Amino acid sequence: MDLNSIAYHRSEFKKLSDCNVNVATHALQYGTAVFGGIRGYYSESQKNLLIFRVDRHFKRLHQSAKMMQMVPPLSEKEMANILIQVARLNNYRQNVYFRPFLYKSATQLSPRFHDVKDDFSLYSLKMDDYLDTNKGLSVCVSSWRRIDDNIIPTRGKVSGGYANSGLAKSEAVQNGYDEAIFLDTRGYVCEGSAENIFLVRDGKLITPPVSASVLEGITRRSVMEIAKSEGIPVEERDIARAELYIADEVFFTGTGAQIAWISAVDRRIIGDGNMGSFTERLRKRFVASVLGEDAEFKSWVTPVYE
Ligand code: PMP
């Protein structure tokens, strides 16, 4: 983290090192914040930083806030403008990750959501790969179950809910895997610690439905739109654990992960252990899309510089 980078905090643009909160802040005590994760891709050919699906991300942030009875001090558009200004103030000429969040900023003891002030902050960091997307990932099914939507809404990015992600991620990495796959409380395949999951079986793309306590991933939705354009059938349905082992291809999607292929689940090699042809096709279009080079999906990116 570059503490000298410019961030937005308490209605001001300032150095990240000056963006602090009191230890008694509600959000710090109870994880009462909702956040987003947005990528900016630097296009060498256009000499511009392109923000991926910025409108969708701020729409989801507002939806997360609504679920948690938060009152955003800024509109979706105002937040998007702040992101663009932060990008410009840092004069980014490389791939970047933006982290906007709304948090309960009052120093207040009760964990309630209503009548506690909310604030908005945004910081950023340079980021290329979050997971190594060149090699196949070796993942495990977590011994931790995904929190259910009736416990903490999983279709919102609620900070406190990420304790669940942290437990699964650490368990996986400390046991020698790259990532974890959660099952939901019913025992069906759900998602990764910070990624949605897709399988390919018999030429069909399969992913758990949004009712399976998964985040409504923006990359997930984008990959489904690309698949549609490629004429690849997509099925949203419950997936049993053992289907992972016999799938032709398995991959994660996410803002951080992008499209990350999985070569083994619980030490079972997926397909022939190489990146599958469907994953490769989707990845190619996805990479072109984030760089504003796909004619059909040009509207997905917003340039930072004029
Ligand atoms: N699931 C979880 C739990 C996540 O944290 C993320 C990352 N935001 C995703 C899925 C992927 O969502 P998106 O494609 O919108 O980044």
Side-chain angles (χ1 to χ4, degrees):
M1 198 78 67
D2 177 3
L3 293 180
N4 285 318
S5 64
I6 302 299
Y8 181 86
H9 185 59
R10 298 216 166 112
S11 313
E12 278 177 52
F13 294 97
K14 52 188 163 193
K15 267 196 201 172
L16 184 55
S17 56
D18 296 329
C19 299
N20 301 307
V21 296
N22 188 280
V23 287
T25 302
H26 196 278
L28 187 59
Q29 317 267 344
Y30 303 117
T32 45
V34 296
F35 67 98
I38 305 172
R39 269 190 187 266
Y41 290 89
Y42 189 68
S43 163
E44 280 295 345
S45 62
Q46 296 165 58
K47 299 271 177 269
N48 215 329
L49 183 67
L50 305 169
I51 312 299
F52 188 64
R53 307 208 80 168
V54 67
D55 302 349
R56 284 234 160 221
H57 276 283
F58 283 111
K59 185 170 182 189
R60 186 173 68 189
L61 187 67
H62 266 245
Q63 287 176 342
S64 296
K66 190 171 188 180
M67 284 178 241
M68 306 312 286
Q69 286 195 278
M70 298 174 93
V71 183
L74 297 164
S75 69
E76 293 168 30
K77 257 215 143 41
E78 286 167 331
M79 289 181 182
N81 282 337
I82 287 168
L83 181 146
I84 300 288
Q85 286 184 67
V86 165
R88 286 183 185 158
L89 287 166
N90 287 291
N91 195 24
Y92 283 127
R93 308 280 161 178
Q94 62 273 104
N95 295 340
V96 195
Y97 180 86
F98 298 91
R99 168 56 56 83
F101 58 99
L102 279 157
Y103 67 105
K104 295 259 153 229
S105 58
T107 51
Q108 135 79 36
L109 198 63
S110 152
R112 69 167 195 260
F113 267 92
H114 65 281
D115 297 338
V116 183
K117 188 175 185 288
D118 300 302
D119 263 318
F120 174 75
S121 295
L122 186 148
Y123 67 87
S124 58
L125 55 148
K126 293 168 192 167
M127 186 193 279
D128 284 316
D129 279 348
Y130 169 75
L131 293 170
D132 189 346
T133 50
N134 295 310
K135 75 171 183 83
L137 301 174
S138 171
V139 307
C140 62
V141 171
S142 183
S143 71
W144 296 97
R145 289 292 170 96
R146 185 70 177 134
I147 42 173
D148 187 84
D149 197 58
N150 288 305
I151 295 173
I152 296 174
T154 46
R155 73 205 56 259
K157 280 179 74 77
V158 181
S159 295
Y162 278 76
N164 182 228
S165 292
L167 289 165
K169 178 81 185 188
S170 282
E171 179 193 54
V173 172
Q174 288 169 346
N175 285 336
Y177 297 97
D178 298 305
E179 245 306 349
I181 296 172
F182 277 119
L183 304 182
D184 64 18
T185 50
R186 305 168 306 156
Y188 289 107
V189 172
C190 185
E191 60 182 343
S193 71
E195 306 86 10
N196 291 110
I197 192 164
F198 284 87
L199 268 60
V200 177
R201 288 194 74 186
D202 302 322
K204 215 185 281 171
L205 207 52
I206 309 167
T207 195
V210 289
S211 51
S213 294
V214 303
L215 180 72
E216 295 186 5
I218 289 162
T219 321
R220 174 186 181 276
R221 176 62 48 199
S222 304
V223 163
M224 287 163 79
E225 287 175 44
I226 292 172
K228 196 170 160 212
S229 159
E230 289 279 306
I232 302 168
V234 183
E235 208 177 309
E236 286 178 85
R237 66 158 173 84
D238 286 328
I239 296 170
R241 173 180 187 159
E243 282 191 274
L244 292 167
Y245 304 151
I246 57 169
D248 301 320
E249 304 178 28
V250 185
F251 61 85
F252 281 137
T253 63
T255 297
Q258 304 172 92
I259 296 180
W261 66 284
I262 292 170
S263 58
V265 180
D266 292 339
R267 307 289 180 206
R268 276 83 164 175
I269 302 294
I270 303 303
D272 63 3
N274 294 305
M275 191 195 296
S277 61
F278 285 86
T279 310
E280 206 169 347
R281 248 167 90 190
L282 294 166
R283 236 163 76 124
K284 231 175 153 170
R285 290 261 334 249
F286 180 75
V287 169
S289 302
V290 301
L291 290 171
E293 290 165 6
D294 191 296
E296 196 175 338
F297 301 120
K298 246 185 154 46
S299 64
W300 285 357
V301 298
T302 304
V304 164
Y305 305 114
E306 270 137 20

